[in-house]
């Protein structure tokens, strides 16, 4: 098995809320020295064939990827799937159902923003949407920046789009058990994305990791664009404690908005099991084909 060090297993294209095409992301990953790449669009595998084909043409090893929105303990948690069969019917049906509520939610967000004095946000957000089934808060954030309401998307999230703020609409996503099983029965592995982002209490976090393990989850993102150096260390400890493999991914969305570019994070430390070792037979590597 080839060894991969610079793996980047988390990013988004225009198929969800990124601003680059799968082909442009593949080229950027390659140019930045990525050796193993996965495109992980939210709740959608529609970009997987394009990503795999582009990676193949560049001599870049590829794993299929997705990032599923889950509701757990009253919050939204993201579960990354890697190395699954993207044609799997049950996975595709689960993702379709998970995407289903986004249109209605976007309309409600727009009504709430209108009451806060921001008119026509739904139409405005739509201009930024690449995939009509995948309208997300990110598209609203881009509209609010374009219209001068906020300076950058971070400020939009802080002032308008997070819990308790005027444009936030609570939403019911997939169940943790379902998301893990859709990925697993499609021969992939499930990974908890950016655990430091959720703001869970110690008890809630323990419940998330134990239930995730019990449902068959195998990995956790340790090195991600969403973690500080201290958080990387902390979740390396959590990976050891729960016997989970470790993942690494930038969560890159856009050259203008993302702080962490593809392939630029610190490497995983040597004692952790990299998630790709668990799915090595699923890696599409032009060098070994
Ligand atoms: P949604 O799936 O519609 O709830 O949108 C979630 C997306 O919003 C995430 O995947 C991020 O891309 C983006 N996001 C969430 N929080 C922030 C934040 N504080 N700053 C910038 N983008 C954010
Ligand atoms: Mn996103
Ligand atoms: Mn996420
Ligand atoms: Mn992401």
């Amino acid at each position: 098995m080839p060894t991969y060090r610079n793996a980047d297993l988390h990013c988004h294209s225009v198929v969800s809320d990124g601003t680059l095409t799968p082909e442009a992301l593949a080229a950027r990953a390659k140019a930045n020295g990525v050796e193993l790449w996965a495109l992980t669009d939210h709740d959608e595998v529609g970009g997987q064939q394009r990503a795999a084909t582009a990676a193949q043409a560049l001599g870049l090893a590829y794993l299929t990827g997705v990032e599923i929105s889950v509701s757990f303990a009253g919050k939204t948690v993201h579960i990354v799937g890697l190395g699954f069969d993207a044609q799997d019917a049950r996975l595709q049906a689960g993702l379709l159902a998970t995407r289903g509520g986004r249109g209605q939610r976007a309309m409600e967000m727009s009504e709430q923003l209108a009451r806060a004095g921001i008119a026509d946000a739904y139409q405005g957000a739509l201009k930024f949407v690449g995939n009509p089934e995948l309208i997300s808060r990110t598209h609203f954030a881009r509209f609010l920046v374009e219209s001068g309401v906020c300076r950058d998307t971070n400020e939009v999230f802080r002032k308008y789009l997070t819990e308790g703020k005027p444009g936030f609409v609570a939403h019911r996503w997939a169940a943790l058990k379902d998301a893990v099983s859709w990925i697993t029965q499609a021969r992939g592995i499930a990974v908890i994305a950016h655990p430091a982002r959720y703001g869970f209490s110690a008890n809630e976090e323990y419940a998330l990791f134990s239930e995730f393990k019990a449902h068959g989850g195998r990995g956790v993102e340790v090195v991600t664009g969403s973690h500080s150096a201290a958080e990387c260390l902390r979740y390396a400890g959590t990976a050891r404690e729960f016997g989970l493999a470790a993942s690494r991914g930038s969560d890159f969305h856009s050259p203008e908005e993302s702080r962490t570019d593809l392939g630029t994070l610190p490497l995983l430390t040597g004692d952790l099991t990299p998630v790709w070792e668990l799915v090595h037979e699923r890696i599409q590597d032009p060098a070994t084909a």
Side-chain angles (χ1 to χ4, degrees), residues 6 8 32 34 248 250 259-266:
N6 193 347
D8 195 319
N32 287 359
V34 172
R248 174 177 187 266
S250 57
R259 273 175 306 149
T260 308
D261 205 339
L262 284 157
T264 62
L265 286 166

Side-chain angles (χ1 to χ4, degrees), residues 10-12 17 40 42 67 78 80 193-194 197 251-253:
H10 190 149
C11 68
H12 299 272
D17 61 348
T40 55
H42 296 284
E67 182 176 23
H78 286 168
V80 163
H194 44 60
R197 283 246 305 253
D251 207 356
F252 181 78
H253 282 70

Side-chain angles (χ1 to χ4, degrees), residues 15-87:
V15 170
S16 62
D17 61 348
T19 62
L20 301 183
T21 61
E23 290 80 9
L25 287 166
R28 194 176 183 98
K30 181 73 182 176
N32 287 359
V34 172
E35 297 160 341
L36 174 63
W37 177 53
L39 171 66
T40 55
D41 278 311
H42 296 284
D43 308 325
E44 167 74 88
V45 292
Q48 291 305 305
Q49 191 55 54
R50 287 173 65 184
T53 303
Q56 165 87 33
L58 292 161
L60 175 61
Y62 189 73
L63 273 172
T64 53
V66 69
E67 182 176 23
I68 306 183
S69 312
V70 158
S71 293
F72 184 87
K75 292 205 164 94
T76 300
V77 165
H78 286 168
I79 300 296
V80 163
L82 296 169
F84 50 82
D85 171 9
Q87 304 300 322

Side-chain angles (χ1 to χ4, degrees), residues 93-152:
L95 296 177
L96 182 65
T98 306
R99 293 194 293 275
R102 281 184 179 270
Q104 180 64 31
R105 169 193 187 233
M107 261 121 32
E108 288 171 30
M109 285 172 63
S110 187
E111 281 165 27
Q112 288 189 197
L113 287 168
R115 283 196 284 277
I118 297 160
D120 300 322
Y122 180 75
Q123 290 307 323
L126 271 186
K127 286 187 298 177
F128 293 91
V129 168
N131 172 358
E133 286 185 24
L134 235 298
I135 183 162
S136 98
R137 285 185 291 163
T138 312
H139 303 115
F140 281 86
R142 289 182 187 139
F143 168 64
L144 265 64
V145 172
E146 180 204 50
S147 47
V149 177
C150 291
R151 266 175 304 126
D152 58 38

